[in-house]
Amino acid sequence: MKASKRIKNNEWCQYCLKRRVNKGYSQCLFCQRKMTKEAIDYDKVGKADGYAAAQIEMLTLGTNRADDIEKQRLLKVPEISKSKYHLGFQEGKNKYEDDYSMNAAFGFDL
């Protein structure tokens, strides 16, 4: 089975995607990670973090860079999910910038 089909499939370890796990297992026998009941969607987490980081950067007038915040958060993301998190983070930053420019265009208080 391809790795892309293993993502979000409870029968496969969501950290390494190399070992099939049954409901009775408490940890993956390949990577030794403890099994969780739900998989973390790093794309959604990245979008939320990117939106918040862009907002922080705007409010602090650039003293807290969104890229620095992303680097700090990436340390906690598993290696296999870093690209998904990064893409989600960029989408979140872009969404905030779009929201900000739309509010400015229509004269809403910023």
Side-chain angles (χ1 to χ4, degrees):
M1 178 183 268
K2 292 183 180 180
S4 61
K5 292 189 179 186
R6 295 177 186 175
I7 297 172
K8 294 185 182 179
N9 185 343
N10 291 336
E11 294 181 10
W12 292 90
C13 174
Q14 294 300 301
Y15 291 105
C16 67
L17 298 173
K18 295 184 179 186
R19 183 77 184 199
R20 191 182 291 257
V21 292
N22 293 331
K23 291 180 183 178
Y25 285 91
S26 62
Q27 70 182 28
C28 174
L29 298 177
F30 185 83
C31 67
Q32 306 302 316
R33 295 269 183 136
K34 289 189 177 187
M35 303 307 299
T36 58
K37 293 192 176 197
E38 59 186 56
I40 298 172
D41 188 359
Y42 284 102
D43 188 43
K44 278 186 181 177
V45 172
K47 284 179 187 175
D49 287 350
Y51 193 90
Q55 196 171 26
I56 289 169
E57 185 176 345
M58 182 67 70
L59 293 173
T60 60
L61 302 174
T63 57
N64 292 332
R65 303 289 304 162
D67 296 333
D68 295 337
I69 295 170
E70 180 185 15
K71 287 176 188 173
Q72 291 173 352
R73 297 291 293 188
L74 269 173
L75 295 174
K76 299 178 182 177
V77 177
E79 193 65 38
I80 197 166
S81 302
K82 286 188 189 249
S83 63
K84 288 179 78 174
Y85 180 85
H86 175 71
L87 292 174
F89 193 90
Q90 295 303 322
E91 285 182 32
K93 278 178 37 179
N94 293 339
K95 175 137 177 57
Y96 177 78
E97 290 168 5
D98 290 346
D99 290 349
Y100 186 81
S101 60
M102 288 299 289
N103 287 340
F106 287 107
F108 296 119
D109 287 338
L110 304 173

